[in-house]
Amino acid sequence: MTKVAIVGGGPMKHIPNLTEYNEENMIWIGADHGCKVLIQQGIRPNYCVGDFDSVTEEELQLIRDASHSIEEYEAEKDETDLEIALRKALSFHPTVLYFFGVTGGRLDHELVNLQLLHTVEQHKVRGIIVDNGNWVELKVPGTYKIEHDDAFSNLSFIPFTPEIKGLTLSSFYYPLENATVQWGSTLSISNKLISESGTFSFREGIVLLVKSRDVLEP
């Protein structure tokens, strides 16, 4: 099982402790400032990519010295640094692909980063965005088992298409049976499991599964 993690340069307060995800043989890819984040957390990047316009020359030299491999691009390009990192990540044909440092900050970047989960799914890869308060996955029609997680106990099922059909939630505090949920509806927001595991299923549409917790500001 190949796992890859991409780290972007999102606000530091949103980035979790990456060492908790640093499994054996994990491939770490830093996108621009994300390389500095990895180094600061004691993880040597396997690859660093980007135009590095968000770091100083001194920081860039540190990244060059600390990384196994670095690929530098011109600032004017048709792809974001994160999309370049994603292309690199998919070249390893991973089974799981994590994204860190891709939420918070600029809303336009955050929204398009969520859309990258669709690109990942089209490659039949499980894509996961993680920050200090959220765990996000994109799901296509099917039946899924979900385990209770103390770290992210709130569960929401958000339509990523105009509607989702046949949403069924079993072993949830607010169960559903064959429900249609329209874009913008709050019907399937903020639920919880009532046992150690449950299932959810739907037959049409695309769903963003958001597991979350309340994060207190310092």
Side-chain angles (χ1 to χ4, degrees):
M1 180 180 293
T2 302
K3 293 185 177 182
V4 180
I6 295 174
V7 181
M12 291 299 297
K13 68 179 183 178
H14 292 288
I15 300 176
N17 181 357
L18 299 178
T19 60
E20 295 179 0
Y21 300 87
N22 193 18
E23 301 179 25
E24 186 178 2
N25 299 321
M26 176 77 83
I27 298 172
W28 288 95
I29 301 175
D32 198 282
H33 188 265
C35 300
K36 180 184 173 183
V37 173
L38 277 167
I39 295 166
Q40 287 176 329
Q41 293 211 20
I43 299 173
R44 186 180 184 189
N46 297 98
Y47 301 92
C48 283
V49 301
D51 54 33
F52 300 99
D53 61 352
S54 60
V55 297
T56 66
E57 267 305 318
E58 183 179 350
E59 290 169 337
L60 179 55
Q61 189 57 54
L62 173 66
I63 290 168
R64 290 181 179 131
D65 293 340
S67 305
H68 287 285
S69 176
I70 185 169
E71 299 175 11
E72 299 181 48
Y73 293 81
E74 296 293 331
E76 294 186 6
K77 55 190 184 304
D78 293 331
E79 300 168 297
T80 64
D81 293 330
L82 192 69
E83 191 171 2
I84 292 172
L86 175 57
R87 186 173 68 240
K88 185 75 174 180
L90 291 174
S91 72
F92 297 105
H93 306 288
T95 51
V96 180
L97 175 52
Y98 289 97
F99 294 87
F100 303 98
V102 301
T103 58
R106 284 179 53 176
L107 183 58
D108 54 346
H109 282 228
E110 184 170 19
L111 289 173
V112 78
N113 292 343
L114 287 169
Q115 291 182 2
L116 289 179
L117 289 176
H118 187 256
T119 302
V120 173
E121 196 284 326
Q122 288 180 316
H123 286 80
K124 307 304 180 185
V125 176
R126 183 186 179 191
I128 306 169
I129 291 176
V130 185
D131 65 24
N132 269 328
N134 306 280
W135 173 295
V136 185
E137 297 187 53
L138 183 146
K139 297 296 186 182
V140 296
T143 299
Y144 302 90
K145 182 178 180 180
I146 187 167
E147 304 283 348
H148 174 75
D149 185 348
D150 285 332
F152 300 100
S153 59
N154 302 308
L155 301 171
S156 296
F157 303 85
I158 301 173
F160 207 60
T161 46
E163 64 181 11
I164 52 176
K165 293 184 178 180
L167 181 62
T168 297
L169 307 178
S170 301
S171 296
F172 282 79
Y173 188 84
Y174 300 107
L176 285 176
E177 181 69 32
N178 197 31
T180 296
V181 185
Q182 303 287 339
W183 187 289
S185 170
T186 60
L187 174 65
S188 50
I189 296 295
S190 198
N191 213 329
K192 290 182 182 292
L193 288 168
I194 57 174
S195 60
E196 286 304 306
S197 65
T199 61
F200 69 95
S201 63
F202 61 103
R203 66 175 185 273
E204 289 185 31
I206 299 175
V207 166
L208 278 182
L209 166 63
V210 181
K211 303 193 295 183
S212 61
R213 65 181 174 219
D214 295 320
V215 179
L216 298 177
E217 294 290 340

PDB file of all heavy atoms in Angstrom, residues 173-201:
ATOM      1  N   TYR A 173     -27.218   9.043  15.099  1.00  0.00           N
ATOM      2  CA  TYR A 173     -28.184   9.682  15.997  1.00  0.00           C
ATOM      3  C   TYR A 173     -29.390  10.184  15.203  1.00  0.00           C
ATOM      4  O   TYR A 173     -30.534  10.065  15.655  1.00  0.00           O
ATOM      5  CB  TYR A 173     -27.506  10.839  16.730  1.00  0.00           C
ATOM      6  CG  TYR A 173     -28.364  11.453  17.814  1.00  0.00           C
ATOM      7  CD1 TYR A 173     -28.412  10.887  19.090  1.00  0.00           C
ATOM      8  CD2 TYR A 173     -29.130  12.585  17.563  1.00  0.00           C
ATOM      9  CE1 TYR A 173     -29.204  11.443  20.082  1.00  0.00           C
ATOM     10  CE2 TYR A 173     -29.918  13.146  18.559  1.00  0.00           C
ATOM     11  CZ  TYR A 173     -29.959  12.576  19.812  1.00  0.00           C
ATOM     12  OH  TYR A 173     -30.748  13.123  20.794  1.00  0.00           O
ATOM     13  N   TYR A 174     -29.129  10.756  14.016  1.00  0.00           N
ATOM     14  CA  TYR A 174     -30.208  11.156  13.113  1.00  0.00           C
ATOM     15  C   TYR A 174     -30.155  10.246  11.887  1.00  0.00           C
ATOM     16  O   TYR A 174     -29.431  10.535  10.930  1.00  0.00           O
ATOM     17  CB  TYR A 174     -30.039  12.621  12.686  1.00  0.00           C
ATOM     18  CG  TYR A 174     -30.046  13.616  13.809  1.00  0.00           C
ATOM     19  CD1 TYR A 174     -28.868  14.248  14.205  1.00  0.00           C
ATOM     20  CD2 TYR A 174     -31.220  13.940  14.482  1.00  0.00           C
ATOM     21  CE1 TYR A 174     -28.863  15.171  15.240  1.00  0.00           C
ATOM     22  CE2 TYR A 174     -31.224  14.857  15.523  1.00  0.00           C
ATOM     23  CZ  TYR A 174     -30.044  15.474  15.900  1.00  0.00           C
ATOM     24  OH  TYR A 174     -30.036  16.387  16.925  1.00  0.00           O
ATOM     25  N   PRO A 175     -30.896   9.140  11.901  1.00  0.00           N
ATOM     26  CA  PRO A 175     -30.844   8.218  10.770  1.00  0.00           C
ATOM     27  C   PRO A 175     -31.587   8.783   9.559  1.00  0.00           C
ATOM     28  O   PRO A 175     -32.458   9.651   9.690  1.00  0.00           O
ATOM     29  CB  PRO A 175     -31.531   6.966  11.303  1.00  0.00           C
ATOM     30  CG  PRO A 175     -32.478   7.474  12.349  1.00  0.00           C
ATOM     31  CD  PRO A 175     -31.789   8.665  12.967  1.00  0.00           C
ATOM     32  N   LEU A 176     -31.231   8.317   8.400  1.00  0.00           N
ATOM     33  CA  LEU A 176     -31.934   8.651   7.162  1.00  0.00           C
ATOM     34  C   LEU A 176     -32.182   7.373   6.383  1.00  0.00           C
ATOM     35  O   LEU A 176     -31.410   6.412   6.461  1.00  0.00           O
ATOM     36  CB  LEU A 176     -31.114   9.627   6.308  1.00  0.00           C
ATOM     37  CG  LEU A 176     -31.049  11.096   6.746  1.00  0.00           C
ATOM     38  CD1 LEU A 176     -30.118  11.869   5.822  1.00  0.00           C
ATOM     39  CD2 LEU A 176     -32.440  11.726   6.753  1.00  0.00           C
ATOM     40  N   GLU A 177     -33.238   7.386   5.599  1.00  0.00           N
ATOM     41  CA  GLU A 177     -33.569   6.235   4.773  1.00  0.00           C
ATOM     42  C   GLU A 177     -33.948   6.711   3.376  1.00  0.00           C
ATOM     43  O   GLU A 177     -34.967   7.388   3.200  1.00  0.00           O
ATOM     44  CB  GLU A 177     -34.734   5.440   5.391  1.00  0.00           C
ATOM     45  CG  GLU A 177     -35.145   4.200   4.603  1.00  0.00           C
ATOM     46  CD  GLU A 177     -34.086   3.095   4.658  1.00  0.00           C
ATOM     47  OE1 GLU A 177     -33.390   2.992   5.690  1.00  0.00           O
ATOM     48  OE2 GLU A 177     -33.964   2.354   3.660  1.00  0.00           O
ATOM     49  N   ASN A 178     -33.101   6.435   2.412  1.00  0.00           N
ATOM     50  CA  ASN A 178     -33.394   6.715   1.004  1.00  0.00           C
ATOM     51  C   ASN A 178     -33.754   8.195   0.770  1.00  0.00           C
ATOM     52  O   ASN A 178     -34.689   8.524   0.049  1.00  0.00           O
ATOM     53  CB  ASN A 178     -34.516   5.804   0.521  1.00  0.00           C
ATOM     54  CG  ASN A 178     -34.610   5.741  -0.995  1.00  0.00           C
ATOM     55  OD1 ASN A 178     -33.600   5.865  -1.689  1.00  0.00           O
ATOM     56  ND2 ASN A 178     -35.818   5.576  -1.512  1.00  0.00           N
ATOM     57  N   ALA A 179     -33.003   9.095   1.386  1.00  0.00           N
ATOM     58  CA  ALA A 179     -33.316  10.526   1.314  1.00  0.00           C
ATOM     59  C   ALA A 179     -32.673  11.169   0.089  1.00  0.00           C
ATOM     60  O   ALA A 179     -31.589  10.770  -0.364  1.00  0.00           O
ATOM     61  CB  ALA A 179     -32.835  11.233   2.572  1.00  0.00           C
ATOM     62  N   THR A 180     -33.358  12.183  -0.439  1.00  0.00           N
ATOM     63  CA  THR A 180     -32.781  13.051  -1.462  1.00  0.00           C
ATOM     64  C   THR A 180     -32.383  14.353  -0.789  1.00  0.00           C
ATOM     65  O   THR A 180     -33.185  14.981  -0.106  1.00  0.00           O
ATOM     66  CB  THR A 180     -33.790  13.324  -2.588  1.00  0.00           C
ATOM     67  OG1 THR A 180     -34.086  12.091  -3.264  1.00  0.00           O
ATOM     68  CG2 THR A 180     -33.223  14.312  -3.600  1.00  0.00           C
ATOM     69  N   VAL A 181     -31.130  14.742  -0.987  1.00  0.00           N
ATOM     70  CA  VAL A 181     -30.611  15.951  -0.345  1.00  0.00           C
ATOM     71  C   VAL A 181     -30.165  16.913  -1.435  1.00  0.00           C
ATOM     72  O   VAL A 181     -29.311  16.579  -2.265  1.00  0.00           O
ATOM     73  CB  VAL A 181     -29.432  15.632   0.600  1.00  0.00           C
ATOM     74  CG1 VAL A 181     -28.989  16.898   1.338  1.00  0.00           C
ATOM     75  CG2 VAL A 181     -29.819  14.544   1.599  1.00  0.00           C
ATOM     76  N   GLN A 182     -30.763  18.103  -1.440  1.00  0.00           N
ATOM     77  CA  GLN A 182     -30.458  19.099  -2.455  1.00  0.00           C
ATOM     78  C   GLN A 182     -29.231  19.924  -2.062  1.00  0.00           C
ATOM     79  O   GLN A 182     -28.910  20.083  -0.888  1.00  0.00           O
ATOM     80  CB  GLN A 182     -31.661  20.046  -2.635  1.00  0.00           C
ATOM     81  CG  GLN A 182     -32.958  19.349  -2.991  1.00  0.00           C
ATOM     82  CD  GLN A 182     -32.975  18.846  -4.424  1.00  0.00           C
ATOM     83  OE1 GLN A 182     -32.233  19.316  -5.271  1.00  0.00           O
ATOM     84  NE2 GLN A 182     -33.856  17.882  -4.697  1.00  0.00           N
ATOM     85  N   TRP A 183     -28.569  20.460  -3.084  1.00  0.00           N
ATOM     86  CA  TRP A 183     -27.475  21.408  -2.875  1.00  0.00           C
ATOM     87  C   TRP A 183     -27.955  22.538  -1.959  1.00  0.00           C
ATOM     88  O   TRP A 183     -28.987  23.146  -2.206  1.00  0.00           O
ATOM     89  CB  TRP A 183     -27.054  21.964  -4.235  1.00  0.00           C
ATOM     90  CG  TRP A 183     -25.828  22.829  -4.228  1.00  0.00           C
ATOM     91  CD1 TRP A 183     -25.709  24.075  -3.727  1.00  0.00           C
ATOM     92  CD2 TRP A 183     -24.553  22.490  -4.761  1.00  0.00           C
ATOM     93  NE1 TRP A 183     -24.443  24.549  -3.913  1.00  0.00           N
ATOM     94  CE2 TRP A 183     -23.703  23.604  -4.555  1.00  0.00           C
ATOM     95  CE3 TRP A 183     -24.032  21.371  -5.425  1.00  0.00           C
ATOM     96  CZ2 TRP A 183     -22.370  23.618  -4.975  1.00  0.00           C
ATOM     97  CZ3 TRP A 183     -22.716  21.390  -5.834  1.00  0.00           C
ATOM     98  CH2 TRP A 183     -21.904  22.498  -5.605  1.00  0.00           C
ATOM     99  N   GLY A 184     -27.241  22.814  -0.892  1.00  0.00           N
ATOM    100  CA  GLY A 184     -27.609  23.878   0.034  1.00  0.00           C
ATOM    101  C   GLY A 184     -28.467  23.428   1.195  1.00  0.00           C
ATOM    102  O   GLY A 184     -28.674  24.202   2.134  1.00  0.00           O
ATOM    103  N   SER A 185     -28.957  22.188   1.169  1.00  0.00           N
ATOM    104  CA  SER A 185     -29.756  21.689   2.284  1.00  0.00           C
ATOM    105  C   SER A 185     -28.857  21.399   3.480  1.00  0.00           C
ATOM    106  O   SER A 185     -27.704  20.996   3.338  1.00  0.00           O
ATOM    107  CB  SER A 185     -30.480  20.403   1.872  1.00  0.00           C
ATOM    108  OG  SER A 185     -31.077  19.773   2.992  1.00  0.00           O
ATOM    109  N   THR A 186     -29.407  21.607   4.682  1.00  0.00           N
ATOM    110  CA  THR A 186     -28.668  21.290   5.907  1.00  0.00           C
ATOM    111  C   THR A 186     -29.165  19.992   6.559  1.00  0.00           C
ATOM    112  O   THR A 186     -28.815  19.693   7.701  1.00  0.00           O
ATOM    113  CB  THR A 186     -28.779  22.438   6.917  1.00  0.00           C
ATOM    114  OG1 THR A 186     -30.168  22.639   7.254  1.00  0.00           O
ATOM    115  CG2 THR A 186     -28.202  23.727   6.354  1.00  0.00           C
ATOM    116  N   LEU A 187     -29.950  19.208   5.815  1.00  0.00           N
ATOM    117  CA  LEU A 187     -30.535  17.991   6.367  1.00  0.00           C
ATOM    118  C   LEU A 187     -29.485  17.033   6.913  1.00  0.00           C
ATOM    119  O   LEU A 187     -29.693  16.394   7.949  1.00  0.00           O
ATOM    120  CB  LEU A 187     -31.367  17.285   5.287  1.00  0.00           C
ATOM    121  CG  LEU A 187     -31.949  15.921   5.647  1.00  0.00           C
ATOM    122  CD1 LEU A 187     -32.988  16.069   6.770  1.00  0.00           C
ATOM    123  CD2 LEU A 187     -32.573  15.252   4.424  1.00  0.00           C
ATOM    124  N   SER A 188     -28.362  16.921   6.213  1.00  0.00           N
ATOM    125  CA  SER A 188     -27.380  15.892   6.578  1.00  0.00           C
ATOM    126  C   SER A 188     -26.122  16.482   7.212  1.00  0.00           C
ATOM    127  O   SER A 188     -25.027  15.941   7.082  1.00  0.00           O
ATOM    128  CB  SER A 188     -27.014  15.065   5.343  1.00  0.00           C
ATOM    129  OG  SER A 188     -26.678  15.906   4.248  1.00  0.00           O
ATOM    130  N   ILE A 189     -26.303  17.586   7.933  1.00  0.00           N
ATOM    131  CA  ILE A 189     -25.192  18.251   8.596  1.00  0.00           C
ATOM    132  C   ILE A 189     -25.146  17.889  10.085  1.00  0.00           C
ATOM    133  O   ILE A 189     -26.183  17.748  10.731  1.00  0.00           O
ATOM    134  CB  ILE A 189     -25.322  19.790   8.454  1.00  0.00           C
ATOM    135  CG1 ILE A 189     -25.222  20.202   6.984  1.00  0.00           C
ATOM    136  CG2 ILE A 189     -24.264  20.524   9.280  1.00  0.00           C
ATOM    137  CD1 ILE A 189     -23.886  19.930   6.348  1.00  0.00           C
ATOM    138  N   SER A 190     -23.947  17.745  10.629  1.00  0.00           N
ATOM    139  CA  SER A 190     -23.703  17.629  12.075  1.00  0.00           C
ATOM    140  C   SER A 190     -24.448  16.456  12.702  1.00  0.00           C
ATOM    141  O   SER A 190     -25.335  16.631  13.539  1.00  0.00           O
ATOM    142  CB  SER A 190     -24.073  18.933  12.775  1.00  0.00           C
ATOM    143  OG  SER A 190     -23.484  19.000  14.058  1.00  0.00           O
ATOM    144  N   ASN A 191     -24.054  15.253  12.314  1.00  0.00           N
ATOM    145  CA  ASN A 191     -24.612  14.023  12.853  1.00  0.00           C
ATOM    146  C   ASN A 191     -23.553  13.333  13.703  1.00  0.00           C
ATOM    147  O   ASN A 191     -22.400  13.770  13.744  1.00  0.00           O
ATOM    148  CB  ASN A 191     -25.067  13.121  11.702  1.00  0.00           C
ATOM    149  CG  ASN A 191     -26.276  12.283  12.058  1.00  0.00           C
ATOM    150  OD1 ASN A 191     -26.468  11.902  13.204  1.00  0.00           O
ATOM    151  ND2 ASN A 191     -27.094  11.986  11.058  1.00  0.00           N
ATOM    152  N   LYS A 192     -23.946  12.248  14.377  1.00  0.00           N
ATOM    153  CA  LYS A 192     -23.004  11.474  15.176  1.00  0.00           C
ATOM    154  C   LYS A 192     -23.369   9.999  15.112  1.00  0.00           C
ATOM    155  O   LYS A 192     -24.544   9.640  14.920  1.00  0.00           O
ATOM    156  CB  LYS A 192     -23.020  11.926  16.641  1.00  0.00           C
ATOM    157  CG  LYS A 192     -22.421  13.302  16.901  1.00  0.00           C
ATOM    158  CD  LYS A 192     -22.437  13.634  18.383  1.00  0.00           C
ATOM    159  CE  LYS A 192     -21.876  15.030  18.663  1.00  0.00           C
ATOM    160  NZ  LYS A 192     -20.437  15.110  18.384  1.00  0.00           N
ATOM    161  N   LEU A 193     -22.364   9.151  15.278  1.00  0.00           N
ATOM    162  CA  LEU A 193     -22.622   7.723  15.397  1.00  0.00           C
ATOM    163  C   LEU A 193     -23.157   7.417  16.794  1.00  0.00           C
ATOM    164  O   LEU A 193     -22.799   8.078  17.774  1.00  0.00           O
ATOM    165  CB  LEU A 193     -21.336   6.928  15.165  1.00  0.00           C
ATOM    166  CG  LEU A 193     -20.815   6.862  13.724  1.00  0.00           C
ATOM    167  CD1 LEU A 193     -19.402   6.299  13.700  1.00  0.00           C
ATOM    168  CD2 LEU A 193     -21.735   6.013  12.855  1.00  0.00           C
ATOM    169  N   ILE A 194     -23.999   6.389  16.892  1.00  0.00           N
ATOM    170  CA  ILE A 194     -24.502   5.953  18.196  1.00  0.00           C
ATOM    171  C   ILE A 194     -23.900   4.608  18.591  1.00  0.00           C
ATOM    172  O   ILE A 194     -24.291   4.011  19.594  1.00  0.00           O
ATOM    173  CB  ILE A 194     -26.046   5.868  18.203  1.00  0.00           C
ATOM    174  CG1 ILE A 194     -26.552   4.939  17.100  1.00  0.00           C
ATOM    175  CG2 ILE A 194     -26.650   7.254  18.066  1.00  0.00           C
ATOM    176  CD1 ILE A 194     -28.057   4.698  17.160  1.00  0.00           C
ATOM    177  N   SER A 195     -22.963   4.115  17.810  1.00  0.00           N
ATOM    178  CA  SER A 195     -22.218   2.893  18.137  1.00  0.00           C
ATOM    179  C   SER A 195     -20.797   3.059  17.623  1.00  0.00           C
ATOM    180  O   SER A 195     -20.436   4.114  17.094  1.00  0.00           O
ATOM    181  CB  SER A 195     -22.892   1.667  17.518  1.00  0.00           C
ATOM    182  OG  SER A 195     -22.960   1.789  16.117  1.00  0.00           O
ATOM    183  N   GLU A 196     -19.992   2.043  17.772  1.00  0.00           N
ATOM    184  CA  GLU A 196     -18.586   2.145  17.365  1.00  0.00           C
ATOM    185  C   GLU A 196     -18.419   2.258  15.854  1.00  0.00           C
ATOM    186  O   GLU A 196     -17.382   2.704  15.377  1.00  0.00           O
ATOM    187  CB  GLU A 196     -17.790   0.952  17.893  1.00  0.00           C
ATOM    188  CG  GLU A 196     -17.524   1.021  19.389  1.00  0.00           C
ATOM    189  CD  GLU A 196     -16.809   2.304  19.788  1.00  0.00           C
ATOM    190  OE1 GLU A 196     -15.749   2.591  19.194  1.00  0.00           O
ATOM    191  OE2 GLU A 196     -17.314   3.020  20.677  1.00  0.00           O
ATOM    192  N   SER A 197     -19.426   1.850  15.110  1.00  0.00           N
ATOM    193  CA  SER A 197     -19.357   1.976  13.655  1.00  0.00           C
ATOM    194  C   SER A 197     -20.765   2.099  13.092  1.00  0.00           C
ATOM    195  O   SER A 197     -21.749   1.784  13.766  1.00  0.00           O
ATOM    196  CB  SER A 197     -18.639   0.774  13.026  1.00  0.00           C
ATOM    197  OG  SER A 197     -19.377  -0.413  13.216  1.00  0.00           O
ATOM    198  N   GLY A 198     -20.849   2.564  11.872  1.00  0.00           N
ATOM    199  CA  GLY A 198     -22.121   2.688  11.177  1.00  0.00           C
ATOM    200  C   GLY A 198     -21.879   2.598   9.690  1.00  0.00           C
ATOM    201  O   GLY A 198     -20.739   2.395   9.235  1.00  0.00           O
ATOM    202  N   THR A 199     -22.928   2.740   8.918  1.00  0.00           N
ATOM    203  CA  THR A 199     -22.794   2.720   7.465  1.00  0.00           C
ATOM    204  C   THR A 199     -23.561   3.888   6.860  1.00  0.00           C
ATOM    205  O   THR A 199     -24.542   4.369   7.437  1.00  0.00           O
ATOM    206  CB  THR A 199     -23.324   1.408   6.847  1.00  0.00           C
ATOM    207  OG1 THR A 199     -24.713   1.268   7.144  1.00  0.00           O
ATOM    208  CG2 THR A 199     -22.553   0.207   7.359  1.00  0.00           C
ATOM    209  N   PHE A 200     -23.084   4.334   5.711  1.00  0.00           N
ATOM    210  CA  PHE A 200     -23.847   5.279   4.912  1.00  0.00           C
ATOM    211  C   PHE A 200     -23.761   4.844   3.462  1.00  0.00           C
ATOM    212  O   PHE A 200     -22.782   4.236   3.032  1.00  0.00           O
ATOM    213  CB  PHE A 200     -23.362   6.716   5.105  1.00  0.00           C
ATOM    214  CG  PHE A 200     -21.992   7.008   4.546  1.00  0.00           C
ATOM    215  CD1 PHE A 200     -21.836   7.541   3.266  1.00  0.00           C
ATOM    216  CD2 PHE A 200     -20.860   6.794   5.316  1.00  0.00           C
ATOM    217  CE1 PHE A 200     -20.577   7.826   2.771  1.00  0.00           C
ATOM    218  CE2 PHE A 200     -19.599   7.076   4.819  1.00  0.00           C
ATOM    219  CZ  PHE A 200     -19.454   7.601   3.547  1.00  0.00           C
ATOM    220  N   SER A 201     -24.820   5.139   2.739  1.00  0.00           N
ATOM    221  CA  SER A 201     -24.869   4.752   1.339  1.00  0.00           C
ATOM    222  C   SER A 201     -25.713   5.750   0.563  1.00  0.00           C
ATOM    223  O   SER A 201     -26.535   6.460   1.138  1.00  0.00           O
ATOM    224  CB  SER A 201     -25.442   3.336   1.178  1.00  0.00           C
ATOM    225  OG  SER A 201     -26.791   3.281   1.637  1.00  0.00           O
TER     226      SER A 201
END
